[in-house]
Amino acid sequence: MKTALLLIYSATIYSAASVASFCPTFLRQQQRLSLTSPQPIKSSALFVVTEEDVIAKVEEAEALWAKAYEARKTANELSEKAEAIGQDAEVSTSDATEALKRSISLEKVADATNAQNLSLDLGNVLDQALKAQEAADEIEAQAEKALAASEAALEQHLIDFPENE
């Protein structure tokens, strides 16, 4: 009796396996009806990196590098402006100090006020230059990440589509 059941069970599994290769629905039904605990069927999605994906990543990286270049250029311009204002403030302060040592007049006080205003302007421009420098650093970091992502996308594309090498 046990032998007959074993033969019937073996024949059922064999026929299920041959039918399952042509009919996935039948395989799922057989697994549900099986006396043993079957492994669940796992589905996975297939994602390939296309040429368009790679181009999009490269263009994103290029745009970020262009933005980083412009931010760096702005920071450098502000730094140069601060340097010029600093030199003007130094000369103006020196002149005002020398003039005020000799005597005090409204004209000399106005010169001192001008020197003081130049120093305040210098502080503001230096603050703007520092903020622009930090923004440029942040954009460059994003551009580095985008460049790495585009390189990874290109490598994956060459794996997914080896005939395009």
Side-chain angles (χ1 to χ4, degrees):
M1 175 86 168
K2 286 184 181 180
T3 309
L5 283 176
L6 186 58
L7 286 174
I8 292 172
Y9 184 68
S10 297
T12 303
I13 290 176
Y14 177 76
S15 65
S18 63
V19 171
S21 62
F22 296 103
C23 183
T25 309
F26 182 78
L27 175 63
R28 279 188 239 126
Q29 289 172 350
Q30 282 302 103
Q31 285 181 339
R32 284 189 215 127
L33 297 174
S34 176
L35 297 175
T36 62
S37 61
Q39 294 295 327
I41 296 176
K42 295 181 182 179
S43 65
S44 61
L46 177 64
F47 296 103
V48 294
V49 178
T50 64
E51 187 175 346
E52 291 81 20
D53 296 334
V54 174
I55 290 171
K57 294 281 186 188
V58 169
E59 287 174 349
E60 178 185 354
E62 287 175 348
L64 282 169
W65 279 113
K67 188 176 176 183
Y69 173 75
E70 291 301 319
R72 186 71 61 204
K73 201 164 83 171
T74 301
N76 288 340
E77 289 170 358
L78 286 169
S79 179
E80 290 170 2
K81 182 178 178 182
E83 184 178 3
I85 292 173
Q87 291 171 348
D88 291 346
E90 181 181 15
V91 169
S92 181
T93 302
S94 176
D95 291 347
T97 303
E98 289 300 316
L100 288 173
K101 283 182 182 177
R102 288 176 276 187
S103 67
I104 296 178
S105 69
L106 279 172
E107 184 181 315
K108 292 177 184 176
V109 170
D111 290 342
T113 303
N114 183 43
Q116 199 174 32
N117 289 339
L118 282 173
S119 295
L120 290 173
D121 290 344
L122 173 63
N124 288 334
V125 172
L126 282 174
D127 185 50
Q128 291 173 357
L130 180 62
K131 288 179 181 175
Q133 186 73 26
E134 289 171 351
D137 290 343
E138 184 177 321
I139 294 169
E140 278 186 11
Q142 292 172 354
E144 284 289 339
K145 288 180 184 176
L147 178 63
S150 69
E151 290 172 350
L154 177 60
E155 289 175 12
Q156 186 61 47
H157 174 72
L158 293 176
I159 292 169
D160 293 343
F161 300 96
E163 66 276 0
N164 290 345
E165 287 187 40

